[in-house]
Amino acid sequence: MPKENCLIVRAAGKQLDLLRGEASRIAQGANVSWWTDRAEVGTKFCFEDSKSKDRFALTCDSLGITCQDS
C-alpha cells in the first residue's frame, strides 16, 4: 500500500479515539481503505487517496490537533 498519503498526528487517549472515528468516517465516505502505524513521535494515519488525507488534515486542524506530512 502506498505511504505517500499519510499524516503523523500527535494525539493520545480520547483525542486519538476521536481521530480514528473521523478517519473511518472519511474513508468510508470516499470508499477507500485507511490504516494507522506507529511513528517515532505520534501516530501515522494513512489513506488510499490524497483527497481523504487532505480531508483528515482539515479535520485535525478544526479540532486543534497538530498533524504533519510523513
Side-chain angles (χ1 to χ4, degrees):
M1 292 186 149
K3 295 287 185 184
E4 62 270 10
N5 298 316
C6 298
L7 292 170
I8 295 176
V9 177
R10 293 183 186 198
K14 289 184 180 186
Q15 275 189 331
L16 191 56
D17 290 341
L18 174 66
L19 289 176
R20 285 187 182 117
E22 290 298 315
S24 178
R25 182 185 59 77
I26 290 167
Q28 186 176 22
N31 199 27
V32 298
S33 294
W34 72 280
W35 63 97
T36 61
D37 271 331
R38 290 183 183 179
E40 264 188 50
V41 178
T43 303
K44 187 185 289 189
F45 283 78
C46 301
F47 298 86
E48 282 186 329
D49 71 342
S50 62
K51 288 181 185 179
S52 296
K53 179 190 106 171
D54 294 341
R55 286 192 63 201
F56 185 72
L58 289 173
T59 300
C60 289
D61 288 343
S62 71
L63 295 171
I65 299 171
T66 304
C67 67
Q68 65 187 43
D69 284 324
S70 66

